[in-house]
Amino acid sequence: MAEIIVLDDVIDAGVVIKRILERKGHRVGVFTEEEEALAHVAKKKPDLAILDMKLKKMSGVEVLEEIRKRSPDTRVIMLTGYPTLETARESVRLGACEYCVKPIDKEELERKVEEALAAPRA
């Protein structure tokens, strides 16, 4: 299965996603610090990154841009509790393949992860 990272400033949110995806057989690392997540991406080149839009030091969009530089083949799903058309467009423009709204719906997350992993690489 896939190597996935989750970056969310709230550890509990990341742990919920980790549990859902590990049940599907994926290996999931959870991060709350942008620098740690980006260092992991540069070293491990995960198949998928799930990023919250609101983080501690950077925005999810800024992290997405950095991931594109460090691991262009890593697919990205953005998460937000505050969905706007603007953030959705910006995420997609920068290469996110999906967009999920919090609170996370288990079936929606599983479906979007499956679709993202099946999508052709960047």
Side-chain angles (χ1 to χ4, degrees), residues 5-9 31-42 46 49-72 74-78 90-91 94-96:
I5 67 157
V6 179
L7 174 59
D8 197 308
D9 60 329
F31 297 87
T32 57
E33 299 294 328
E34 296 90 324
E35 295 86 4
E36 287 177 25
L38 289 169
H40 181 85
V41 165
I50 300 175
L51 310 175
D52 192 12
M53 292 295 285
K54 301 267 188 223
L55 298 165
K56 295 176 183 176
K57 299 175 193 139
M58 303 167 76
S59 73
V61 171
E62 291 170 320
V63 174
L64 169 59
E65 288 181 278
E66 285 301 312
I67 286 174
R68 284 282 153 261
K69 293 176 193 168
R70 297 168 194 217
S71 179
T74 297
R75 295 169 187 94
V76 177
I77 294 176
M78 301 303 292
E90 181 70 356
S91 299
L94 291 168

Side-chain angles (χ1 to χ4, degrees), residues 86-116:
E86 173 86 16
T87 53
R89 282 189 180 137
E90 181 70 356
S91 299
V92 170
R93 186 183 71 75
L94 291 168
C97 54
E98 279 294 347
Y99 193 83
C100 281
V101 177
K102 290 179 174 181
I104 295 297
D105 176 78
K106 179 181 170 292
E107 287 77 25
E108 178 188 18
L109 177 67
E110 290 170 347
R111 187 184 79 251
K112 288 189 174 186
V113 165
E114 226 175 273
E115 290 169 0

